[in-house]
Amino acid sequence: MSPLEEENLRRPIWTALATRHAHLAEGGAGARRYPADISPFAASGDDCAESLAALERLCRLGERMVFLQRDPVALPEGFAVALEADGVQMVGEGPFPRIEDARIVPLGPDDAEAMLALAELTKPGPFSLKAQRLGRFWGVKENGRLIAMAGERLKLPGMTELSGLCTRPEVQGRGLGRLLLAFVAGEIVARGERVFLHAFASNENAIRLYETAGFRLHTHLHVVMAEKA
């Protein structure tokens, strides 16, 4: 991995909002966030007082923001921590060939409500009706019902995060999660990009799945959800 890629992964939310997702960003040089109806992700460019003041101005009273970065998360005054956890960042080492499987279909705006319902059922991480603004998604349907999906989230220069991987509980064990993980990774790598993903450090089953699928642990991250009180 190049020094630039290492640096870009250090604060992946900030890097995405300053580069390939800049068209979605609210804020400016010191702090940026996604629109609240797309994602609760936000980040400051550094921890100086000016940047933290800019971050405070981006958050409405009572609103929660989610931060994800390698450095400890510095919060503006008046923010209360609602959740703090250890996360892991994993990068794909491939080879991740493209997969053709008739069960996998691209998901679109008409699938947004079913995608949100599946995410609320399985809790893969922050998700919204407008998650498709961040990247493409694919899924598996059975009798017209969405039973598994995965897609793209943070986009950095030359890198895309694989996210939103989830399977309905009653169809788990059929290999759909592993199939979609390999499929989305293959789509990202086919564009000449590196694929990466995040997970809670406590989610040992998911981490084992990612390792057997070709990902390796890159680093640990701080995950913080904070509310402006």
Side-chain angles (χ1 to χ4, degrees):
M1 184 175 294
S2 71
L4 180 58
E5 289 176 321
E6 285 275 3
E7 184 60 27
N8 286 339
L9 284 169
R10 192 171 191 87
R11 294 192 181 210
I13 298 172
W14 173 260
T15 302
L17 287 167
T19 58
R20 296 174 66 191
H21 278 167
H23 60 289
L24 298 173
E26 297 177 355
R32 301 185 184 197
R33 62 169 294 173
Y34 286 95
D37 59 350
I38 295 178
S39 171
F41 281 159
S44 58
D46 54 44
D47 297 336
C48 72
E50 291 79 6
S51 296
L52 296 184
L55 185 62
E56 190 275 337
R57 290 193 295 271
L58 284 176
C59 189
R60 290 175 285 275
L61 193 65
E63 186 180 18
R64 289 184 173 183
M65 288 179 161
V66 176
F67 305 88
L68 175 69
Q69 60 189 50
R70 194 181 312 174
D71 307 311
V73 177
L75 295 172
E77 287 189 19
F79 276 58
V81 174
L83 180 149
E84 188 167 12
D86 294 327
V88 295
Q89 185 177 72
M90 306 183 74
V91 296
E93 293 196 324
F96 301 120
R98 294 189 85 172
I99 294 174
E100 292 187 10
D101 191 308
R103 293 173 294 175
I104 300 174
V105 297
L107 301 178
D110 290 344
D111 300 300
E113 290 189 2
M115 294 167 63
L116 179 61
L118 180 56
E120 289 179 340
L121 177 68
T122 57
K123 312 295 184 190
F127 206 86
S128 76
L129 279 174
K130 296 185 178 179
Q132 294 177 71
R133 294 286 304 277
L134 302 175
R136 298 180 298 169
F137 276 81
W138 295 265
V140 175
K141 298 180 181 180
E142 194 167 78
N143 299 320
R145 185 176 67 163
L146 183 65
I147 59 173
M149 70 174 180
E152 303 169 339
R153 191 165 62 179
L154 299 176
K155 289 184 176 287
L156 319 183
M159 311 177 82
T160 290
E161 180 195 19
L162 191 159
S163 183
L165 179 66
C166 47
T167 303
R168 289 191 65 86
E170 67 270 24
V171 298
Q172 289 180 1
R174 291 165 49 177
L176 297 177
R178 181 180 292 275
L179 172 65
L180 283 164
L181 178 68
F183 178 89
V184 177
E187 293 297 304
I188 293 170
V189 170
R191 300 198 300 262
E193 299 180 34
R194 184 187 293 273
V195 58
F196 68 103
L197 56 78
H198 297 112
F200 284 112
S202 59
N203 195 348
E204 296 178 355
N205 289 338
I207 292 171
R208 276 196 295 271
L209 169 65
Y210 302 148
E211 288 175 337
T212 59
F215 289 80
R216 67 167 175 82
L217 176 65
H218 175 60
T219 190
H220 284 257
L221 297 174
H222 298 272
V223 184
V224 171
M225 176 187 290
E227 177 176 325
K228 184 176 180 180

